[in-house]
């Protein structure tokens, strides 16, 4: 197999979500100088690229994914000069920086939308998606169709100024841009992409990268939730008719001019559709985030409908995401980000007895899988979901709050609310958004002021400072995994995957193969001892493990990596 090496394939990428990373000035909100002060934490871990979630100016209804000006920085995070310093300091350490590219929508506060909504004849009217109301048989005004927003309620908002509705697939203050209009596209390329490439960034994580091309018929979506007024509408906005044309144009006009990497958030797509986005000769994007693993157990149409999963489901998810290795495409490896709960809670065991052990097990899994590996802030120290006892007041995310408020409006019973709170605690995005736990001092060393969101109560036990000099800490274990991954990249980054025990509910055993080498990875996903069965012929030599001694038994949450001869 000829390997097509690329810097962005070998790299480990560390995601920084600015509001909760590190506050430098005591206002309780993370900021860019705070990030600069912690770059060595990221560098020493062994990461190569930093992905910075939106730091642009924004009213922060969706924590910066509602951008009011692509060319300026949210003042509480810092200034353009701070960004220059960040870029410089990252490059000085031999790392690279990618930013978040949020171009499916802007904030309603963006000057383009303000112009667009001002009158039907404004030159920017058509930069967003406006439609006249529909009227029901009683003459009541209704939205143009039955599409539901990802943040609950109709995806359309009525605007009194001109008596029309605008489309917002996300929050009300996130109007969707009209990609059909080439002036809109040109303005985006200039303001959102070129402006930052010219400042020296190395690429983009592309938000909702499959949604720009809407089916222009704007038909009602099929009714899949008969008890609900508004229905999921992916069918009409995901992988739409012109989506590949748009990506090719953006690549040709801008991205191709730089030695840049791109990773698109697409979520769910068929194998063939994914290859259209990431096929090497396609000129679109380098790789995609697919949600098979992170959405395990949740209904893809509604994350708060949770049915659970078992280990074979996880293996299927891993397989689905890995199947682009060895094709002309490429893939990503991740199990956390700012939209997902903490992996130790979801896929390991966050009980203090097993937290570190199962965190290490997951580190062995993730660092052995082929594709570009992404880590999310706090994952490397084993941060967990928020405590079960936290009341709804501690949850801040618009996704969580809108859903909760809708339940209240519908008059949901106490039992239904209690059941929702359980699911919320398991899958809410808030779980990833608590401040990073730097040390055991007040507010976990995140800020000298009151943090904008409550710090997880377990910070005295889980914090970075206590892990740096502990050879058995999760931070140092991740470090060893990332270094092993680099050392044997033909196997771990580029190798082929073969699962050996697909139906086993307790262990996950697989081979990774390159042209001339094979490794065996064996992971015990339970809190019980299990007999160790290699399931492969040949001599085994231990390369890595999360226990100091190995025996014929796999200890609870034990993981091992062997060379096979
Ligand atoms: C995906 C982002 O990751 C998420 O945080 C955001 O709410 C939506 N896209 C809308 O931009």
């Amino acid at each position: 197999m000829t390997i097509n090496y690329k810097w962005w394939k070998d790299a480990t990428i560390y995601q920084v979500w600015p509001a909760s990373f590190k506050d430098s000035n005591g206002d309780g909100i993370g900021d860019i100088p705070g990030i600069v002060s912690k770059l060595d934490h990221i560098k020493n871990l062994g990461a190569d690229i930093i992905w910075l979630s939106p730091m642009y100016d924004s009213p922060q209804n969706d924590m910066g994914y509602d951008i009011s000006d692509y060319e300026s920085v949210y003042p509480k995070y810092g200034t353009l000069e701070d960004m220059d310093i960040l870029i410089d300091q990252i490059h000085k350490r031999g790392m690279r920086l990618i930013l978040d590219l949020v171009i499916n929508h802007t904030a309603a506060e963006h000057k383009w939308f303000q112009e667009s909504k001002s009158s039907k004849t404004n030159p920017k009217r058509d930069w967003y998606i406006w439609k006249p109301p529909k009227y029901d048989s009683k003459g009541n005004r209704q939205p143009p169709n039955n599409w539901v927003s990802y943040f609950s309620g109709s995806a359309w908002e009525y605007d009194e100024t001109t008596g029309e509705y605008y489309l917002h697939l996300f929050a009300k203050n996130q109007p969707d841009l009209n990609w059909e209009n080439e002036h809109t596209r040109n303005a985006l390329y200039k303001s959102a992409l070129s402006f930052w490439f010219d400042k020296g960034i190395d690429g983009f994580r592309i938000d909702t990268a499959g949604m720009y091309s809407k089916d222009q018929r704007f038909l009602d979506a099929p009714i899949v939730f008969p008890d609900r007024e508004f229905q999921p509408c992916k069918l009409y906005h995901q992988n739409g008719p012109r989506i590949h044309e748009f990506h090719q144009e953006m690549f040709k006009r801008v991205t191709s001019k730089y030695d840049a990497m791109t990773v698109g958030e697409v979520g769910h797509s068929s194998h063939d559709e994914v290859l259209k986005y990431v096929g090497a000769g396609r000129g679109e994007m380098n790789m995609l985030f697919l949600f098979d693993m992170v959405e395990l157990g949740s209904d893809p149409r509604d994350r708060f409908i949770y049915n659970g999963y078992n280990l074979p489901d996880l293996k299927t998810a891993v397989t689905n995401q890995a199947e682009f290795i060895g094709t002309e495409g490429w893939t990503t490896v991740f199990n956390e980000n700012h939209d997902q709960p903490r992996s130790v809670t979801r896929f390991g065991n966050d009980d203090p007895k097993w937290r570190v052990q199962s965190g290490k097990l997951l580190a062995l899994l993730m660092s052995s899988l082929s594709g570009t590996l992404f880590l999310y802030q706090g994952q490397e120290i084993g941060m967990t979901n928020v405590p079960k006892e936290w009341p709804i007041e501690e949850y801040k995310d618009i996704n969580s709050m809108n859903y909760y408020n809708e339940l209240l409006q519908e008059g949901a019973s106490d039992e239904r609310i209690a059941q929702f709170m359980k699911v919320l605690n398991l899958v809410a995005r808030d779980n990833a958004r608590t401040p990073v736990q730097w040390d055991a001092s007040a507010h976990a060393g995140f800020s000298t002021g009151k943090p904008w969101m409550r710090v997880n109560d377990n910070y005295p036990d889980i914090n970075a400072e206590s892990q740096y000099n502990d050879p058995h800490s999760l931070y140092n274990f991740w470090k060893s995994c990332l270094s092993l991954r680099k050392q044997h990249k033909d196997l771990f980054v580029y190798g082929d995957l073969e699962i050996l025990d697909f139906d086993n509910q307790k262990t996950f055993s697989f081979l990774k193969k390159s042209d001339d080498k094979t490794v065996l990875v064996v992971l015990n996903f339970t809190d019980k001892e299990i007999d160790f069965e290699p399931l492969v012929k040949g001599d085994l030599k231990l390369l890595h493990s999360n226990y100091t001694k190995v025996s014929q038994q796999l200890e609870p949450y034990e993981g091992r990596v062997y060379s096979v001869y």
Side-chain angles (χ1 to χ4, degrees), residues 135-181:
Y135 290 91
D136 64 18
S137 52
K138 295 196 187 105
N140 297 320
R141 176 170 52 74
Q142 299 293 341
N145 66 27
N146 68 353
W147 294 7
V148 70
S149 141
Y150 284 99
F151 294 155
S152 308
S154 170
W156 298 92
E157 181 68 6
Y158 184 67
D159 186 59
E160 299 280 347
T161 327
T162 54
E164 287 194 327
Y165 283 84
Y166 64 86
L167 179 72
H168 62 90
L169 291 177
F170 293 90
K172 284 188 182 134
N173 89 318
Q174 288 169 302
D176 282 58
L177 285 151
N178 179 17
W179 273 71
E180 300 294 318
N181 183 324

Side-chain angles (χ1 to χ4, degrees), residues 17 51 62 65-66 100 102 105 151 170 174 205 207-208 265 337-339 398 429 433:
W17 195 74
W51 152 24
D62 186 22
Y65 285 88
D66 45 338
D100 228 298
V102 188
H105 42 265
F151 294 155
F170 293 90
Q174 288 169 302
R205 174 267 187 187
D207 190 65
T208 53
E265 184 205 31
N337 62 40
H338 64 293
D339 292 334
I398 185 168
R429 311 198 297 183
R433 299 180 174 195

Side-chain angles (χ1 to χ4, degrees), residues 207-462:
D207 190 65
T208 53
M211 298 191 187
Y212 312 150
S213 169
K214 276 85 180 172
D215 184 323
Q216 294 298 302
R217 294 171 297 168
F218 293 96
L219 300 175
D220 273 338
I223 296 175
V224 294
F225 292 117
D227 55 335
R228 298 186 185 179
E229 192 177 356
F230 302 110
Q231 303 295 323
C233 51
K234 250 195 180 126
L235 178 64
Y236 295 125
H237 69 255
Q238 176 78 356
N239 306 334
R242 297 182 68 190
I243 190 71
H244 298 291
E245 176 196 333
F246 293 155
H247 276 290
Q248 283 169 12
E249 180 183 88
M250 183 157 71
F251 178 77
K252 194 160 154 221
R253 296 268 286 281
V254 192
T255 324
S256 62
K257 306 213 159 73
Y258 303 87
D259 180 20
M261 69 153 276
T262 48
V263 48
E265 184 205 31
V266 166
H268 300 273
S269 273
S270 68
H271 183 93
D272 289 350
E273 195 64 41
V274 172
L275 280 180
K276 287 190 195 154
Y277 286 111
V278 302
R282 298 272 307 168
E284 297 196 17
M285 293 180 281
N286 296 141
M287 59 190 118
L288 300 187
F289 288 133
L290 298 174
F291 293 165
D292 298 73
M293 185 158 172
V294 289
E295 283 188 358
L296 272 176
S298 272
D299 186 323
R301 298 164 307 187
D302 179 344
R303 72 159 62 206
F304 298 114
I305 301 178
Y306 186 78
N307 298 312
Y309 71 93
N310 57 31
L311 195 53
D313 295 336
L314 186 135
K315 294 173 196 176
T316 305
V318 165
T319 315
N320 288 349
Q321 289 182 226
E323 66 188 4
F324 305 99
I325 303 295
T327 66
E328 89 269 30
W330 190 245
T331 195
T332 56
V333 180
F334 69 102
N335 61 6
E336 279 194 29
N337 62 40
H338 64 293
D339 292 334
Q340 302 299 335
R342 292 293 184 176
S343 59
V344 172
T345 306
R346 281 277 273 118
F347 308 111
N349 185 337
D350 65 7
D351 183 296
K353 189 165 174 207
W354 300 121
R355 197 172 58 211
V356 177
Q357 213 54 43
S358 67
K360 290 178 178 176
L361 179 91
L362 293 172
L364 283 173
L365 169 65
M366 303 311 280
S367 62
S368 306
L369 296 176
S370 292
T372 302
L373 176 62
F374 289 76
L375 286 181
Y376 176 68
Q377 66 187 34
Q379 180 176 4
E380 74 285 15
I381 56 168
M383 284 178 61
T384 66
N385 273 12
V386 305
K388 295 195 173 52
E389 311 72 56
W390 277 17
I392 190 70
E393 291 71 33
E394 303 293 0
Y395 289 78
K396 306 285 176 222
D397 177 24
I398 185 168
N399 189 199
S400 309
M401 292 316 298
N402 283 3
Y403 203 98
Y404 176 81
N405 288 329
E406 194 167 82
L407 284 178
L408 290 187
Q409 269 163 25
E410 285 165 4
S413 65
D414 290 353
E415 200 186 341
R416 171 75 182 101
I417 296 284
Q419 183 247 349
F420 169 72
M421 287 305 294
K422 259 190 168 161
V423 177
L424 187 71
N425 180 256
L426 187 64
V427 302
R429 311 198 297 183
D430 304 77
N431 287 300
R433 299 180 174 195
T434 58
V436 170
Q437 297 162 209
W438 292 106
D439 59 40
S441 69
H443 310 312
F446 161 71
S447 172
T448 51
K450 186 173 183 288
W452 73 277
M453 183 180 182
R454 181 166 165 182
V455 175
N456 195 317
D457 307 357
N458 58 22
Y459 75 90
D461 297 326
I462 305 175

Side-chain angles (χ1 to χ4, degrees), residues 57 99 119 242 332 350 379 423 475 477 536 563:
D57 204 2
L99 297 183
S119 81
R242 297 182 68 190
T332 56
D350 65 7
Q379 180 176 4
V423 177
Y475 180 85
F477 192 78
V536 68
S563 286

